[in-house]
């Protein structure tokens, strides 16, 4: 006897089972993603921690890079990141001000936005090629901190523009209207009533962009990063050592790859630690800012 | 009077300055294309375009006859990218669906920054894991002398494409109007049925765009494939072959090539092809995504 009632119950049971199984599979997907991240971090941390010491962080490599530390690579990464920040942060902020405060809706603005999103998708090695032609050859900066920094800076530009615009969007329209109502010009309004509230957010966005730039290898490989240097760079025209490139060399190009594997793990740990530290501090600052802003607005 | 004039002039100058910064993105994008093209063109004085695009052999330093065919590299790039998408699309879309439809809001809040961590791992670190972790594992699993092959590259690229696919698919699912969801639930659909039959189809174009952006990222990724795929120059026949992608080939040879030779120009031509490929994929994703967002609004 299968009346309509039992059939209904049966189909409801099947529906619940399908939902249970479906959600289980989705949960499995998330678990896989988390597992990948966990394996990655665990492997680097567990095997890299043994090599990281004060000496490792503050000494130069010795004996054909089979001993010693990575100090010059840390310094080089900071220097090149600074150069790229000097290019990308002001330009990114200014571009964001244009897009958020000046630009009218239209074809040109749309083209600019498409260009920004596309720039973010240009392969890093293509930025490297561009840097080789423009900075190394045409502008004859040679292979140097300057060339590599400018190449990375251009690559960071779309990220800083996007982040800066996000920050500008959090400034309430009433701030702008208040200034304009009192007779301020547009630039006065931006300077006194918009930028002061947006700049902290812009800077945290810039730090996240820089963290990504600091981890990049392909754009600096041919524009200034060096295999090994006996001394620290003395000027912007010098070549430099960098953490990501050092890791690449230690894991693929070194003459005694197995022997230096612990050093490679240590370099990987320092690199990933540096990038995560920059990211996390920016995220924490951004979170605090948002709470503060919410508070002032109400 | 004069002061008013000067103030006006200042306003104009400032807005011109901001405009210049705004238009810079367009200039840089066109500049990249123009300089790549300009540097690639001399290559085609010695190589025919047909030979360049459709020949399998790339051997610029051959003592007899230098050969410049990029077909093998292009196929390697596509193979590794395809493998990455086969892994990353179901997992990424599944994760996005879980986060938007199943997970507790608090879980979602915690998972967002965690997935951002995955996105911030430098590519050279991922490549390093391909050498020390995935490589030996693949070698043992398939009984190969080493694990530097297309499969290794695909696995790593999948990990790198996941954050993009997850976050943009999740945005697409969150943008589906509540009325759709409510209508489906009111008609007696379960949450699972609503997800699969109503919300996923409604978000489909956004999900496709997410996968395309992930694909663009995989095509252009350099360090991971350079370190993990073995870089043999032969034509790829399967995932267990050692392959050399276009990006890896540029990275390997640009360091050794003498400037301003046919080989040097040819490497820029490879870069140009790469730029055009990723540009088209990204542009297509962008168009899908924007049209979709405008429709929702």
């Amino acid at each position: 006897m299968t009346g309509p009632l039992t059939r209904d119950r049966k189909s409801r049971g099947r529906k619940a089972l399908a939902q249970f199984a479906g959600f289980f599979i989705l949960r499995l997907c998330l678990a896989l993603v988390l597992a990948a991240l966990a394996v990655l971090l665990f492997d680097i941390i567990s095997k890299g921690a043994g090599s990281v010491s004060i000496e490792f962080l503050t000494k130069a490599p010795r004996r054909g890079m089979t001993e010693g530390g990575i100090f010059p690579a840390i310094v080089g990464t900071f220097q090149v990141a600074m150069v790229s920040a000097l290019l990308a942060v002001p330009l990114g902020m200014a571009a964001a001000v244009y897009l958020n405060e000046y630009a009218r809706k239209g074809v040109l603005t749309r083209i600019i936005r498409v260009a920004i999103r596309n720039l973010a998708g240009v392969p890093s090695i293509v930025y490297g090629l561009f840097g080789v032609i423009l900075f190394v050859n045409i502008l004859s900066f040679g292979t140097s901190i300057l060339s590599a920094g400018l190449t990375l800076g251009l690559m960071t530009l779309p990220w800083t523009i996007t982040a800066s615009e996000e920050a500008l969007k959090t400034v309430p329209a009433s701030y702008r209207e208040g200034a304009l109502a009192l007779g301020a010009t547009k630039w006065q309004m931006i300077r006194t009533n918009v930028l002061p509230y947006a700049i902290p957010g812009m800077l945290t966005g810039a730090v996240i962009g820089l963290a990504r730039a600091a981890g990049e290898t392909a754009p600096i490989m041919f524009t200034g990063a060096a295999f090994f240097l006996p001394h620290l760079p003395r000027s912007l025209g010098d070549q430099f050592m960098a953490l990501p490139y050092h890791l690449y060399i230690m894991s693929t190009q070194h003459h005694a790859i197995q022997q230096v594997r612990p050093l490679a793990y240590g370099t990987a740990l320092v690199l990933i630690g540096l990038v995560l530290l920059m990211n996390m501090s920016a995220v924490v600052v951004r979170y605090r800012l948002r709470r503060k802003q919410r508070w002032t607005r109400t | 009077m004069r002061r008013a004039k000067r103030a006006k002039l200042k306003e104009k100058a400032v807005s011109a300055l901001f405009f210049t910064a705004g238009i810079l993105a367009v200039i840089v994008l066109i500049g990249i294309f123009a300089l790549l093209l300009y540097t690639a063109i001399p290559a085609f004085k010695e190589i025919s375009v047909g030979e360049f695009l459709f020949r399998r052999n790339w051997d610029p330093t051959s003592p007899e006859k230098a050969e410049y065919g990029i077909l093998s590299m292009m196929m390697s790039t596509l193979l590794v990218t395809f493998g990455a998408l086969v892994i990353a699309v179901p997992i990424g879309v599944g994760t996005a669906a879980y986060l938007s439809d199943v997970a507790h809001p608090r879980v979602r809040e915690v998972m967002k920054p965690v997935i951002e961590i995955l996105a911030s791992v430098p590519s050279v670190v991922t490549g390093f894991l391909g050498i020390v972790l995935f490589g030996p594992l693949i070698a043992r699993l398939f009984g190969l002398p080493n694990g530097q092959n297309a499969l290794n590259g695909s696995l790593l690229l999948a990990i790198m494409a996941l954050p993009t696919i997850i976050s943009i698919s999740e945005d697409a699912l969150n943008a589906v109007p509540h009325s759709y969801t409510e209508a489906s639930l009111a008609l007696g659909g379960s949450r699972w049925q609503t997800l699969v039959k109503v919300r996923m189809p409604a978000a489909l174009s956004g999900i496709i765009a997410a996968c395309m952006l992930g694909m663009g990222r995989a095509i252009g990724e350099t360090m991971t494939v350079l370190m993990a795929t073995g870089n043999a120059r032969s034509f790829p026949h399967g995932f267990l072959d050692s392959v050399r992608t276009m990006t890896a080939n540029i990275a390997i040879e640009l360091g050794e090539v003498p400037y301003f030779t046919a080989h040097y120009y040819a490497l820029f031509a490879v870069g140009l092809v790469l730029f055009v490929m990723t540009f088209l994929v990204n542009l297509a994703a962008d168009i899908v995504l924007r049209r979709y967002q405008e429709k929702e609004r």
Side-chain angles (χ1 to χ4, degrees), chain B residues 222-249:
Chain B
T222 309
M223 296 317 288
T224 34
V225 285
L226 173 64
M227 292 163 85
T229 59
N231 299 318
R233 274 201 285 221
S234 51
F235 192 85
H237 293 285
F239 280 102
L240 296 181
D241 279 6
S242 165
V243 299
R244 179 189 287 203
T245 64
M246 298 197 288
T247 50
N249 187 67

Side-chain angles (χ1 to χ4, degrees), chain A residues 15 19 27 29 40 43 94-95 98 102 112 117-118 121 123 125 130 133 137 185 187 222 248 251 265 275 279, chain B residues 11 15 18-19 22 39 98 120 129 132 188 190-193 222 226-227 251 255 259 264 268 278 282 286 290:
Chain A
K15 223 157 81 176
Q19 167 152 322
R27 197 165 290 145
C29 289
L40 193 153
D43 192 64
Y98 172 75
Y102 285 94
I112 293 177
R117 285 192 295 265
N118 258 293
I125 189 86
F130 180 68
I133 324 174
N137 285 323
T185 64
W187 169 232
F222 309 109
Y248 169 65
S251 55
Y265 262 113
V275 169
N279 264 308
Chain B
E11 277 299 311
S15 81
F18 282 125
F19 175 73
T39 319
Y98 180 79
S120 69
L129 279 187
V132 294
S190 68
R191 278 165 68 208
W192 170 249
Q193 286 172 327
T222 309
L226 173 64
M227 292 163 85
Y259 276 17
Y264 174 84
F268 280 86
T278 50
N282 287 328
D286 202 65
R290 295 307 130 182

Side-chain angles (χ1 to χ4, degrees), chain A residues 31-297:
Chain A
L32 274 172
V33 176
L34 294 182
L37 181 63
V39 165
L40 193 153
L41 291 178
F42 177 77
D43 192 64
I44 302 272
I45 293 172
S46 65
K47 292 183 187 149
S51 326
V52 178
S53 62
I54 299 290
E55 202 213 328
F56 187 69
L57 295 174
T58 56
K59 292 274 160 60
R62 279 178 292 129
R63 298 189 181 214
M65 301 207 290
T66 56
E67 286 174 26
I70 53 169
F71 182 64
I74 297 177
V75 172
T77 293
F78 267 107
Q79 285 170 324
V80 85
M82 279 300 123
V83 174
S84 59
L86 285 178
L87 177 78
V89 175
L91 282 178
M93 283 180 177
V97 168
Y98 172 75
L99 283 172
N100 203 57
E101 309 293 331
Y102 285 94
R104 294 198 183 88
K105 272 198 174 166
V107 182
L108 182 65
T109 309
R110 206 185 268 174
I111 290 177
I112 293 177
R113 289 189 188 280
V114 171
I116 292 170
R117 285 192 295 265
N118 258 293
L119 270 184
V122 171
S124 53
I125 189 86
V126 170
Y127 277 101
L129 288 172
F130 180 68
V132 167
I133 324 174
L134 184 63
F135 300 124
V136 177
N137 285 323
I138 294 180
L139 298 174
S140 35
F141 296 154
T143 46
S144 61
I145 294 182
L146 188 61
S147 294
L150 293 178
T151 308
L152 275 185
L154 285 184
M155 188 171 163
T156 326
L157 194 61
W159 307 332
T160 49
I161 296 176
T162 315
S164 297
E165 220 192 329
E166 293 289 316
L168 284 171
K169 279 188 183 141
T170 62
V171 179
S174 58
Y175 287 25
R176 297 185 180 84
E177 288 152 8
L180 290 178
L182 288 173
T185 64
K186 191 148 200 172
W187 169 232
Q188 284 170 333
M189 166 200 99
I190 294 170
R191 207 181 45 199
T192 59
N193 280 28
V194 178
L195 282 183
Y197 303 98
I199 277 185
M202 288 172 151
L203 290 180
T204 51
V207 170
I208 294 179
L210 279 188
R212 277 206 246 177
E216 279 294 337
T217 319
I220 60 170
M221 266 170 113
F222 309 109
T223 52
F227 199 88
F228 173 74
L229 291 173
H231 55 79
L232 291 178
R234 297 194 180 93
S235 74
L236 284 179
D238 284 0
Q239 288 194 310
F240 60 98
M241 290 175 72
L243 282 173
Y245 190 54
H246 190 66
L247 173 57
Y248 169 65
I249 288 163
M250 295 300 260
S251 55
T252 62
Q253 309 284 301
H254 198 279
H255 60 86
I257 287 179
Q258 291 305 329
Q259 190 196 337
V260 298
R261 183 111 313 157
L263 294 179
Y265 262 113
T267 312
L269 178 58
V270 172
L271 177 60
I272 214 170
L274 186 78
V275 169
L276 287 187
L277 204 70
M278 285 170 82
N279 264 308
M280 272 197 263
S281 53
V283 168
V284 168
V285 171
R286 191 169 57 186
Y287 180 71
R288 290 238 174 109
L289 280 176
R290 280 209 186 130
R291 278 177 69 180
K292 217 167 87 190
Q293 271 170 352
R294 214 174 290 154
W295 185 72
T296 46
R297 229 182 288 171

Side-chain angles (χ1 to χ4, degrees), chain B residues 175-187 194 198-199 296:
Chain B
V176 173
H178 281 299
S179 54
Y180 289 23
T181 316
E182 282 155 10
S184 164
L185 291 175
L187 286 171
T194 307
V198 178
R199 290 172 50 77
E296 291 304 331

